[in-house]
Amino acid sequence: MVDQVFFTRNNLKLGQTLKIGDKELKIVGVSKGTFAVVYPYIFVTTEDAAEIFGTTQYVNYYLVQLFGDRPADEVISDITERLAERGCSGRDTDEGAVHPEP
């Protein structure tokens, strides 16, 4: 998943691939509000990050897609509690709202 500004400026398309390090990654969605002045955020799975960077120690964001009837506020609360139990902090925001591949 890539940032919308990066996506637009580079005339990218959903389904296109990007090479990051030695890894080819498919663009499956576009995030909004995730361009950090000089560089865009690109979201990858934990497995892909481990392969690219050689570590699984750091996670900046978790992207969550809801299914079913469970209210988002309830899911946010559960995730926040579970992160706190593990000594991590969480922040919910709609600034990084995700627009997945249809």
Side-chain angles (χ1 to χ4, degrees):
M1 184 163 305
V2 299
D3 171 76
Q4 183 178 28
V5 173
F6 179 78
F7 186 80
T8 303
R9 284 185 182 171
N10 291 284
N11 296 313
L12 299 173
K13 305 283 185 234
L14 290 174
Q16 189 174 344
T17 58
L18 293 175
K19 187 169 184 173
I20 300 180
D22 293 330
K23 181 110 175 128
E24 292 278 335
L25 299 170
K26 182 179 177 183
I27 300 172
V28 297
V30 177
S31 61
K32 187 170 101 177
T34 53
F35 189 79
V37 183
V38 178
Y39 58 90
Y41 283 85
I42 296 175
F43 300 94
V44 298
T45 64
T46 305
E47 294 81 10
D48 285 338
E51 192 174 326
I52 293 165
F53 301 112
T55 183
T56 58
Q57 293 183 337
Y58 306 103
V59 174
N60 293 0
Y61 294 94
Y62 284 103
L63 300 178
V64 178
Q65 183 174 6
L66 301 179
F67 295 96
D69 297 331
R70 192 161 179 225
D73 290 344
E74 192 177 298
V75 174
I76 291 168
S77 178
D78 283 353
I79 291 170
T80 302
E81 284 179 30
R82 290 179 187 196
L83 287 172
E85 289 169 3
R86 290 165 176 77
C88 301
S89 63
R91 178 178 74 114
D92 64 281
T93 177
D94 64 356
E95 287 179 30
V98 173
H99 305 280
E101 180 179 18

